[in-house]
Amino acid sequence: MANRGGRRRKSSGRSSKKRWGRPRWWTRRAFRATGLGLAGAAFVAGFATAVYVVKLDRVVVRRFAGVQFQVPSKVLSAPTILYPGLDAKRAGLRSTLERLGYREDPDHFQPPLGRFRWEGDRIRIHLRAFEHPTRAEPARLVELRLAGSVIERIRELPGRGEVGAVPLEPELVGAYYGDAREQRELVRLDEVPRHLVDAVYAVEDQRFEQHVGIDLRRILGAGLANLRAGRVAQGGSTLTQQLVKNFFLTPERTLKRKLQEAIMALIVEVRYDKQAILESYLNEIYLGQRGATEVHGVGEAAHFYFGKRVADLSVAESALIAAIIQSPNSLSPHRNQERAVRRRNLVLELMHRQQRIGDFVYERARNEPLRVAAITVEPSQARYFLDVLRRQLPEVYDQGALATEGLRIYSTLDPRLQRVAAEALRGGLEALEKQRPELVDPDPMRLLQGCVVALRPQTGEIVALVGGRDYGVSQFDRCTQARRQAGSIFKPFVYIAALEPRGGTPWITLASTVDDSPFEIETSAGPWRPENYDEEFRGLVPVREALERSLNVPVARLAHQIGIDAVAQVARRLGISSPLPRVPSLALGAADVTPLEIARAYATLANAGIRPWPHAFEDVVAPQGGTLERRDLRFERVMDAGTAYLATSLLEGVVDRGTAARLRGLGFRGPIAGKTGTSDDERDLWFVGFTPELVTVVWVGFDEPRSVGVPSSRAALPVWARFMREATGPSIRGAFLPPGDVVKLDIEPQTGARASVGCPDRRPEYFLPGTEPQDVCTGLRGWRVGRESDAEGPGRRRGFLDWLRERF
């Protein structure tokens, strides 16, 4: 038996050797080697995983430790001021309130803030508080009493008496974006109401405060729900995973990306506390679309959907913001209110079921009607203004800084006037093209163009600027970048140079006459012979008539007499900075200037000889609230107030009786001074007009200069009229008041002599002190001739005998 057993064992040994080809001692060594290999492989895999995790950790730390968000800088408008005398209908008060997120509440008018009630001749508004570097306002309740549509008085309630004016908060004008058009308003967690946090927890991550970044219970529950539904009905991602996905990862759906998301979520939870993670999430989450711009974060969403700060959201509003996280565009209340309300109510139900809100709060929020703010898409017509503002900012605020640092820039723009200016320009050009179809070109780059710029003469604030008819087609700003021939709008500078005393006797007064007869000047290019537009000559004409009819010959002769340098110096002092050629034709507007320069020059006249600095912003404020930059308002007296008033009075005559008299025919009443301007061959058409409160310049022409074929009174002036009719109405407030030392007396119109009681013809005229006429008209038989000086030349005053000699 033993032998047989031994043989069997031997045979078994042979069989083993035959099967494996190796002895058993080698097999044991192989197993030991395999174990070591597995351990080595495990070590290598562990090491590689550790390296990978460390790499991901560095990515996480770099993002959280650095600047988490690149926030575009916002540009805000000037506050809208409500005051007695304002036409609430023309000012678009209702639409302004709606754009700012105020809700009309005719049935249950009571706090909270941000509501108004318009009832007949009374408007009550719960004004919200707002921050502003110089004009911050508290929350308050005011009542506006109307006479027709005009605000008659304003009272602060309850029982605090009348107030002179109340400002509304600034509107968003636009923002400076980088490559990603994302807009967000960063908020701190302590600014977010608890019910908004609870709403987000209820619908997105109930166990956020318990899990470690991934929630296995939620993943399993979502998986079972999806199996039962036969589709992806629920997601298993936590808030931390959603934040990681938005911060670091692409939207692709692969196992590798989900694994990476889970690892990074764990790293974030280990590295940072829940409060920091939640704050980042609330500032990052995508919540909708404003035109081409993405709305991110609950702070921006509160403004976008409800026109209010996140701290002021109601429970129902918080529930709606949480509700649309799942699909911001398809659930947007701006697109589908019914679907948004259903989703909002589901969130409220979850909050109630999870005991985050009580029965009373739940029922009240569920029954709260949905009221959303009007969509405030960034207006394309404000982009020209934004470009001007950016160029005015100091160099430290370059494009990169503006696109990432989240600055708040308080501008001078009046949103209503900006919209009105854009509509007036577009409508005016289209009307002209309808009258003259030959002006229409199929190439949008060759269309008739124009610009409108309006500013406050007392401050230099640019309240409206439209640099072209369509920013999308052409970003070239014709208000500030295009230099075009000034034409007749330059002529007032000649008369001002002649009216200024300049330390002695002025060349003319408003009672003087100027010579409209043929003459020529020798130049390096040969003789220059100015002509009037109608190629006629009128002999001696009063100064007022010469400007009102925009005669060329008298102003050219006057400029030649006083010297073209004197004219150029006046233009420089008023604010013209473009090159001014010292040639005789400068008197007729041969210089190329920008509309903004012209606005500044005429604003100096409207501001009694004090030159303002046109500016587009007032303050630059850091995200934390400190003022970084404040516009240094620069004013300089460049002309005595008396001369500025005489020039303004001359320009009033242009509107009352001259080339701009069409404005009176269009129904405009009140103080308006202005000047039309048409360059050679009707290539550049201008109208500049000003009231005591507003200077507005309009230019119309082609970018590649060619004839428009009409005078400025049929192209630029109608655009000005369209703008001002909506901006101020046809009845202009205020008056151009003469300085105290300006003398007003009656004169005989033809001779300029002082008119006494018996003079048969008279009109009032203004004079600087000491320049009043010495000749007196007492009646046809009672002339007394007086002469201040026997000196010959343009500086001496003309008497009645001079007039008789020249006439007969």
Side-chain angles (χ1 to χ4, degrees), residues 560-692:
H560 181 61
Q561 290 170 340
I562 62 178
I564 209 68
D565 281 337
V567 175
Q569 288 168 14
V570 165
R572 281 275 180 264
R573 283 190 283 129
L574 289 175
I576 303 298
S577 56
S578 293
L580 298 175
R582 301 307 200 266
V583 294
S585 57
L586 178 64
L588 306 184
D592 293 339
V593 297
T594 68
L596 186 60
E597 288 177 280
I598 293 297
R600 185 186 186 193
Y602 278 75
T604 304
L605 301 178
N607 198 30
I610 300 174
R611 185 179 65 202
W613 183 262
H615 59 282
F617 77 94
E618 292 183 346
D619 297 275
V620 179
V621 178
Q624 299 77 18
T627 299
L628 301 174
E629 199 78 34
R630 175 158 291 166
R631 166 56 68 186
D632 180 20
L633 297 181
R634 288 176 278 172
F635 300 95
E636 184 180 358
R637 176 165 290 285
V638 296
M639 181 176 297
D640 68 278
T643 302
Y645 178 76
L646 296 186
T648 299
S649 180
L650 266 178
L651 292 167
E652 283 187 279
V654 174
V655 174
D656 292 338
R657 298 172 296 275
T659 56
R662 185 180 180 188
L663 287 175
R664 299 303 186 193
L666 292 172
F668 282 89
R669 299 292 179 265
I672 305 173
K675 185 69 186 77
T676 55
T678 305
S679 70
D680 293 340
D681 299 324
E682 297 174 331
R683 294 182 174 188
D684 297 286
L685 310 178
W686 298 81
F687 184 70
V688 50
F690 60 92
T691 71

Side-chain angles (χ1 to χ4, degrees), residues 129-349:
F130 66 86
E131 297 178 356
H132 191 280
T134 58
R135 290 177 277 186
E137 284 290 318
R140 51 180 168 168
L141 172 62
V142 296
E143 181 182 80
L144 283 57
R145 297 303 296 265
L146 306 178
S149 61
V150 176
I151 299 174
E152 193 173 45
R153 66 177 184 270
I154 303 174
R155 288 194 309 135
E156 187 171 354
L157 302 177
R160 296 187 184 179
E162 291 193 18
V163 293
V166 291
L168 301 176
E169 56 262 47
E171 295 184 43
L172 177 67
V173 174
Y176 296 111
Y177 299 102
D179 295 334
R181 290 185 62 87
E182 297 179 0
Q183 185 59 278
R184 56 170 55 80
E185 180 173 303
L186 298 182
V187 295
R188 300 188 308 273
L189 192 57
D190 58 12
E191 297 173 319
V192 180
R194 182 64 204 184
H195 49 70
L196 175 54
V197 174
D198 284 338
V200 173
Y201 283 173
V203 70
E204 291 295 323
D205 193 349
Q206 297 179 37
R207 300 182 63 252
F208 173 74
E209 295 183 355
Q210 287 80 45
H211 63 63
V212 293
I214 56 175
D215 188 351
L216 296 178
R217 184 191 305 179
R218 178 181 171 89
I219 292 171
L220 291 173
L224 291 174
N226 293 338
L227 285 174
R228 285 194 295 267
R231 58 183 178 86
V232 179
Q234 291 185 19
S237 295
T238 63
L239 295 188
T240 312
Q241 287 176 278
Q242 293 181 44
L243 178 64
V244 164
K245 179 178 67 176
N246 291 339
F247 262 9
F248 307 109
L249 304 176
T250 62
E252 62 179 338
R253 294 175 175 270
T254 63
L255 181 60
K256 176 184 176 182
R257 204 224 61 165
K258 291 298 291 183
L259 181 62
Q260 191 177 20
E261 176 186 296
I263 295 172
M264 295 182 85
L266 292 171
I267 292 172
V268 169
E269 291 273 351
V270 169
R271 281 279 189 179
Y272 304 100
D273 60 42
K274 292 285 187 179
Q275 302 300 302
I277 297 169
L278 179 60
E279 182 174 292
S280 295
Y281 175 84
L282 294 175
N283 282 310
E284 168 59 24
I285 192 67
Y286 170 69
L287 286 167
Q289 201 80 17
R290 179 193 282 116
T293 305
E294 296 180 359
V295 175
H296 283 257
V298 296
E300 191 68 25
H303 286 288
F304 179 54
Y305 291 113
F306 303 110
K308 59 175 64 175
R309 299 178 309 158
V310 69
D312 298 329
L313 292 174
S314 68
V315 173
E317 291 164 345
S318 292
L320 187 133
I321 287 179
I324 65 176
I325 292 174
Q326 182 189 63
S327 182
N329 291 316
S330 63
L331 293 171
S332 170
H334 289 307
R335 293 186 176 183
N336 192 327
Q337 291 202 3
E338 184 179 343
R339 189 175 181 187
V341 169
R342 283 202 306 269
R343 178 73 178 172
R344 180 201 70 178
N345 291 343
L346 171 62
V347 174
L348 290 170
E349 185 179 330

Side-chain angles (χ1 to χ4, degrees), residues 271-490:
R271 281 279 189 179
Y272 304 100
D273 60 42
K274 292 285 187 179
Q275 302 300 302
I277 297 169
L278 179 60
E279 182 174 292
S280 295
Y281 175 84
L282 294 175
N283 282 310
E284 168 59 24
I285 192 67
Y286 170 69
L287 286 167
Q289 201 80 17
R290 179 193 282 116
T293 305
E294 296 180 359
V295 175
H296 283 257
V298 296
E300 191 68 25
H303 286 288
F304 179 54
Y305 291 113
F306 303 110
K308 59 175 64 175
R309 299 178 309 158
V310 69
D312 298 329
L313 292 174
S314 68
V315 173
E317 291 164 345
S318 292
L320 187 133
I321 287 179
I324 65 176
I325 292 174
Q326 182 189 63
S327 182
N329 291 316
S330 63
L331 293 171
S332 170
H334 289 307
R335 293 186 176 183
N336 192 327
Q337 291 202 3
E338 184 179 343
R339 189 175 181 187
V341 169
R342 283 202 306 269
R343 178 73 178 172
R344 180 201 70 178
N345 291 343
L346 171 62
V347 174
L348 290 170
E349 185 179 330
L350 290 172
M351 294 173 71
H352 183 243
R353 191 186 307 161
Q354 296 168 22
Q355 299 183 349
R356 300 180 189 276
I357 55 175
D359 296 343
F360 175 75
V361 173
Y362 168 66
E363 290 298 333
R364 186 178 64 181
R366 187 179 178 86
N367 293 322
E368 182 178 309
L370 177 62
R371 299 187 184 93
V372 293
I375 298 178
T376 55
V377 178
E378 293 173 14
S380 60
Q381 66 264 22
R383 293 180 185 172
Y384 290 110
F385 177 86
L386 293 175
D387 289 347
V388 171
L389 192 156
R390 186 179 67 239
R391 291 194 294 269
Q392 285 194 353
L393 288 170
E395 292 182 0
V396 292
Y397 303 106
D398 59 14
Q399 185 64 37
L402 292 175
T404 60
E405 294 186 3
L407 306 173
R408 295 174 70 85
I409 303 170
Y410 290 88
S411 77
T412 61
L413 190 76
D414 184 314
R416 185 181 70 88
L417 295 186
Q418 180 70 17
R419 285 190 293 274
V420 169
E423 292 164 3
L425 180 62
R426 183 171 56 252
L429 295 180
E430 289 174 354
L432 183 58
E433 289 170 336
K434 191 173 293 185
Q435 297 168 13
R436 299 180 64 85
E438 67 272 16
L439 296 177
V440 180
D441 195 298
D443 183 356
M445 295 298 292
R446 291 175 53 83
L447 281 174
L448 186 64
Q449 281 291 351
C451 85
V452 179
V453 57
L455 56 84
R456 304 281 183 204
Q458 292 79 16
T459 62
E461 296 170 344
I462 301 173
V463 295
L465 187 147
V466 183
R469 65 191 295 170
D470 189 343
Y471 186 90
V473 173
S474 170
Q475 294 79 51
F476 182 64
D477 178 11
R478 294 149 190 90
C479 284
T480 63
Q481 295 175 312
R483 285 192 169 99
R484 303 301 295 250
Q485 194 174 88
S488 296
I489 58 171
F490 200 88

Side-chain angles (χ1 to χ4, degrees), residues 15 89 120 239 251 276 340 389 529 569 696 737:
S15 173
K89 182 178 180 181
L239 295 188
L389 192 156
R529 303 180 185 90
Q569 288 168 14
T696 305
L737 299 176

